[in-house]
Amino acid sequence: MSSLVIVGAQWGDEGKGKVVDLFAAHSDIVVRYQGGNNAGHTLVVANERTVVHLIPAGVLHPQTTCVIGNGVVIDPGVLCGEIDALQARGYLKKPEQLKIDERAHLILPVHRALDIAREERLGVDKIGTTGRGIGPTYENKVARSGLRVIDMLDPEYFRTRVARLLDERNVVLHELYGWPPVELDAVCDEYAVYAERLRPYVTDTALYLTEQIVAGRRVLFEGAHGTMLDIDHGTYPFVTSSNTVAGAVGTGAGVAPRYVNRVLGISKAYTTRVGGGPFPTELDDEVGRKLRQSGDEFGSTTGRPRRCGWFDAVVVRHAARLSGMAGLAITKLDVLSGIAKLRIAVAYEHAGTRYERVPAGVRTFEGARPVYEELDGWNDSLSEARRFEDLPAAARRYISRIEELTATPVTLISVGAERDETILLRDPFLL
Ligand code: IMP
């Protein structure tokens, strides 16, 4: 029996897509268990870029079954579009390759409208959401007024529930934000088409997954976003609306903790963040701009330029502890080539207090000054390195220091976007 959870150790965009795609080759099933199409994984195979937002990054491997678990919020229009695009490129030929949980909640047009309207009203205080309706959908889920995939398959029931939801949400949308109300008929007509398109894929994936794990299949759980965007453990309120830590597999995929046995964290060799909120090691200088340019740091969902900064060991240590990471994959080490001196934040200082951990208060975190350690950089290009020994001594030292500061062994290093631009130090399923 073997399962592996892949979790982002920073603010998302750590390069999970590439790592999931790599390990999907050795997995029978790849599962999304939280978030929605606010996530985006860029996969590069033979110079061809594929971006997926909802379908697990294992989809490029025809032998791998992809599961969208109950904890995901699904925009069915986006999902249908993704299925079409993948099928047009020769992927996802058989319906058995994709399974969608019947209990997953649906993003409705009113959720997208509310997300954007609310952000507009917040102005400079906005969270910087992706505008995909994620937060409002989870709100309705918790308020017990949301719509689920299974409801969409029963048009009569769907209509009654959407009418009830719109009764309330349209008031906020129209009266508070001044947006036109969403029409019930339009939603029902549109979603009836999605229902028939998606029906062949809908099933009880929690049951399926547990049976498969017990039968000895290798299951990879693909986390979206990053630990610092977790609704409980992230930089609240500048977070997403789901739990992103490994524990979310239990609820978001319906798989009991006893079947979740390994966690691999993914972190960039530096730090990035999109959207608002604290980011102590952010660089608004030449180095920051170099990281953005060399690392192609633009959001794969919204295209927004990402904020860039030094590696923050406090953040990654926080993430490693919360998810019980047995190993770390360090991505984009190649992007650091050519920077003479590198810095790593080892603690913060705020109002005379030293913090070795992430402060809970957003104002404390915003005002926190990083305590840096400086390390030598390297000039050599790393893209040809395939073994740890191929790396320059300064790069090896940088990796070792990350291991010490996060108390987590580095098990994989990525030195480029292609599958083979990878140094694998240990099989993640054997962590
Ligand atoms: P939401 O998830 O669209 O509600 O956005 C909430 C916050 O999470 C914003 O700061 C987003 O930029 C951020 N966010 C959501 N998904 C991702 C992601 O996949 N990568 C990076 N940031 C994300």
Side-chain angles (χ1 to χ4, degrees):
M1 179 193 325
S2 132
S3 66
L4 174 70
V5 189
I6 290 195
V7 178
Q10 299 166 310
W11 277 280
D13 308 319
E14 295 91 351
K16 293 181 290 293
K18 168 176 167 170
V19 178
V20 172
D21 171 62
L22 270 177
F23 297 151
H26 311 284
S27 311
D28 300 298
I29 304 167
V30 184
V31 188
R32 275 282 304 270
Y33 55 92
Q34 45 75 225
N37 59 312
N38 46 350
H41 286 327
T42 307
L43 313 169
V44 182
V45 181
N47 275 325
E48 196 181 61
R49 268 165 78 95
T50 307
V51 182
V52 285
H53 297 283
L54 269 170
I55 296 181
V59 68
L60 305 191
H61 299 275
Q63 87 293 348
T64 306
T65 303
C66 291
V67 170
I68 301 180
N70 60 279
V72 176
V73 287
I74 297 177
D75 187 325
V78 172
L79 181 54
C80 290
E82 232 166 74
I83 294 172
D84 290 343
L86 284 162
Q87 286 179 338
R89 291 168 74 171
Y91 299 111
L92 212 55
K93 288 283 192 214
K94 295 177 289 183
E96 310 84 78
Q97 210 203 330
L98 176 66
K99 298 191 189 300
I100 302 167
D101 195 78
E102 50 199 8
R103 292 180 173 84
H105 276 248
L106 294 171
I107 298 177
L108 301 176
V110 73
H111 294 132
R112 288 194 300 267
L114 282 167
D115 194 1
I116 298 166
R118 188 185 287 160
E119 286 277 281
E120 277 176 9
R121 191 178 157 98
L122 281 170
V124 291
D125 292 327
K126 69 180 182 192
I127 289 167
T129 71
T130 57
R132 302 298 192 260
I134 307 297
T137 304
Y138 279 116
E139 284 166 29
N140 274 121
K141 173 177 177 173
V142 175
R144 295 160 292 187
S145 47
L147 272 298
R148 303 184 301 167
V149 169
I150 192 78
D151 306 332
M152 185 170 67
L153 303 186
D154 177 347
E156 212 176 299
Y157 180 70
F158 184 75
R159 191 179 179 88
T160 328
R161 297 284 306 189
V162 175
R164 196 177 301 168
L165 182 138
L166 287 181
D167 257 1
E168 195 191 14
R169 298 300 248 175
N170 265 340
V171 174
V172 179
L173 187 64
H174 188 55
E175 311 273 319
L176 183 64
Y177 298 125
W179 279 48
V182 171
E183 299 284 341
L184 174 64
D185 283 342
V187 177
C188 293
D189 292 349
E190 184 186 346
Y191 280 58
V193 177
Y194 301 144
E196 289 324 304
R197 182 76 216 286
L198 297 177
R199 192 183 285 276
Y201 303 104
V202 177
T203 188
D204 183 338
T205 66
L207 175 63
Y208 167 77
L209 286 171
T210 305
E211 284 174 354
Q212 295 298 308
I213 292 174
V214 171
R217 301 290 184 309
R218 279 187 164 200
V219 180
L220 186 62
F221 294 97
E222 171 188 330
H225 327 301
T227 303
M228 296 306 282
L229 293 172
D230 183 280
I231 185 80
D232 285 284
H233 302 286
T235 43
Y236 193 91
F238 297 97
V239 292
T240 192
S241 297
S242 59
N243 283 112
T244 60
V245 295
V249 167
T251 53
V255 171
R258 65 188 291 207
Y259 299 126
V260 182
N261 39 14
R262 291 173 192 88
V263 182
L264 177 72
I266 317 283
S267 166
K268 271 181 196 157
Y270 48 97
T271 312
T272 64
R273 163 161 218 181
V274 275
F279 179 0
T281 64
E282 183 169 14
L283 291 169
D284 187 17
D285 63 5
E286 258 325 293
V287 178
R289 283 186 280 282
K290 178 200 154 27
L291 293 175
R292 184 172 309 115
Q293 207 157 44
S294 313
D296 191 21
E297 295 297 353
F298 297 89
S300 46
T301 300
T302 57
R304 291 178 288 180
R306 294 179 184 142
R307 301 157 65 192
C308 299
W310 296 120
F311 185 86
D312 188 335
V314 186
V315 159
V316 177
R317 199 157 58 223
H318 176 76
R321 171 175 53 81
L322 286 165
S323 286
M325 292 170 185
L328 262 184
I330 299 293
T331 60
K332 293 193 159 181
L333 187 64
D334 53 304
V335 173
L336 294 182
S337 292
I339 303 176
K341 291 284 178 195
L342 300 170
R343 290 176 148 198
I344 295 181
V346 297
Y348 311 122
E349 264 171 15
H350 181 261
T353 305
R354 184 179 164 103
Y355 288 83
E356 305 273 346
R357 62 177 186 96
V358 172
V362 73
R363 297 216 299 168
T364 307
F365 204 18
E366 248 157 16
R369 215 169 37 82
V371 177
Y372 284 121
E373 203 174 278
E374 200 166 79
L375 284 90
D376 287 336
W378 58 89
N379 276 321
D380 325 50
S381 153
L382 305 186
S383 51
E384 301 297 320
R386 296 295 175 268
R387 297 168 313 150
F388 190 65
E389 304 77 61
D390 297 339
L391 293 173
R396 295 202 301 266
R397 174 80 194 113
Y398 187 76
I399 293 290
S400 306
R401 194 64 189 126
I402 288 178
E403 290 186 317
E404 286 162 11
L405 289 167
T406 60
T408 313
V410 170
T411 55
L412 182 150
I413 301 166
S414 170
V415 291
E418 290 281 353
R419 278 175 181 162
D420 67 335
E421 290 174 319
T422 305
I423 301 170
L424 185 60
L425 302 164
R426 215 170 308 169
D427 180 341
F429 276 99
L430 304 177
L431 281 174

